Amino acid sequence: MGLQSEEKGDSYPLIEPRSHDMHGGATFAIIVTTLVAVSGSYVFGTAIGYSSPAQSGIMTDLALTVSEYSVFGSVLTIGAMIGAIVSGKLADYIGRRGTMGFAEIFCLSGWLFIAFSKVAWWLDMGRMLVGFGMGVISYVVPVFIAEITPKELRGAFTTVHQLMICLGISLTWLIGAFLNWRTLALIGAIPCLIQLLGLPFIPESPRWLAKNDRALDCEAALQCLRGNSKDISAEVLEIQEYTELLKQLPETSVLELFERQYTRSIIAGVGLMALQQFGGVNGIKFYVKSLFTTAGLSGNIGTISLAVIQILMTSVGVVLMDISGRRPLLMISAAGTSLGCLCVGLSFLFKDLQLWQSHSPLLAFVGVLTFEGSFSLGMGAIPWVIMSEIFPINVKGLAGSLVTLVSWVGSWIVSYSFNFLLNWSSAGIFFIFSSICGFTVLFVAKFVPETKGKTLEEIQAAMNPLSTKS
């Protein structure tokens, strides 16, 4: 039998509260719940990875120009921007589970549109629908995981969101080397179904339940997640006391997010997301195969190497997240991405100047691998971890939507302009990316807090002290 609350009768038939406590709080319930949630992250990854292996097939079969394919590649981020705008409010109104299910319906519909498209506008419509779902998923999944995990494991478990994105990207690249673009789109629909089928069997976020005056359901969900033998009274009390304190404040508008009490959180969240995107990551990911070809390398070999390195380095980041802390990993990661872009920029410069021609493709290869490995170590995951931790629950919906929107606006700008900028100056665009990544190191040192080993309530009270003063 699953755990049942006295107030609403919610039950979780596949998750038993008797689950043994593993590795300092990683119960079976938390592992299963996280895996269901990050099925959405895998969908996120497949959508990002799809445009690279599908490019030649789609352009040939549907007779698309480079400009038309750039629209197809970048319209994903337009849909994601719309999804980002509604994600926070949606997650506040219908809950974290309901929001994930809502997003997957759009993703599933989008993949079917792409798989059976006969004309370009069907492709673009499908890509936009998948993008909308992605925009919602990119906010709600890390927030949900952060709200269900104990503080000792929160960083590592939230980073699994990024690991699954990397797996989605990498496996899509690998599978796409052998399958046509229509079959690849149908395969992309499979994890959507997995999450839709799994959501009814996992608990809702205890913090969302507490915010919505469902105290008994909050306690039942937390007991399920922590295990039947775990004393959760102190954690329940902390959640409920902090939530009650925040509920005394008036509802926050978008403009009020920029008032003094939220300044530190907004600067850290928005700044990290903007720098993550303008460092060039989605330009590289969306068009990695053509990038390697432009540099004089085998597109398939480069793509497979990139897939392996990003999975490996993201896994290392998961292990290190709650050992080293967020800030050191972020700074090392940003420095590595800066070095990687510098190497790629130099390789294109040497190629343009007809210098060191036999070695410049190797320098580009090493540079892209260095960038992707470094990005996967920290800059890929940690901004989402920080976003899920620093905003108090009374503004988390609005602030999370804002931060997620900034991320997707930056992604759209980079992904749409990347092919044109590469034609304008292959070396110049990577030198710009390198400079932005270098500035990120300084930004982290100045504005980003260390959140390792603290409860969400402790982090939010420290970051937004004026918001909790009565």
Side-chain angles (χ1 to χ4, degrees), residues 222-300:
L222 195 62
Q223 191 74 71
C224 174
L225 290 163
R226 299 295 182 262
N228 198 42
S229 60
K230 184 77 171 181
D231 181 6
I232 61 168
S233 55
E235 189 173 2
V236 168
L237 184 63
E238 183 179 21
I239 291 170
Q240 291 179 344
E241 285 184 346
Y242 190 72
T243 302
E244 286 301 318
L245 182 60
L246 292 174
K247 282 163 65 176
Q248 296 172 17
L249 301 173
E251 188 171 346
T252 306
S253 68
V254 174
L255 291 178
E256 288 172 337
L257 287 178
F258 298 95
E259 292 181 353
R260 184 182 168 196
Q261 61 262 42
Y262 305 118
T263 300
R264 290 181 64 198
S265 294
I266 290 294
I267 290 174
V270 170
L272 273 179
M273 288 301 183
L275 291 169
Q276 179 197 59
Q277 293 303 325
F278 286 108
V281 60
N282 277 338
I284 294 172
K285 284 185 187 295
F286 280 29
Y287 305 109
V288 63
K289 195 169 183 178
S290 62
L291 174 62
F292 278 125
T293 303
T294 303
L297 296 162
S298 165
N300 284 338

Side-chain angles (χ1 to χ4, degrees), residues 328-364:
L329 270 185
L330 269 176
M331 288 190 281
I332 292 170
S333 174
T337 57
S338 179
L339 177 62
C341 285
L342 180 63
C343 290
V344 177
L346 288 172
S347 75
F348 281 120
L349 181 62
F350 292 150
K351 183 180 178 182
D352 292 342
L353 297 175
Q354 298 186 342
L355 299 172
W356 209 37
Q357 293 186 58
S358 60
H359 294 89
S360 60
L362 178 62
L363 184 60

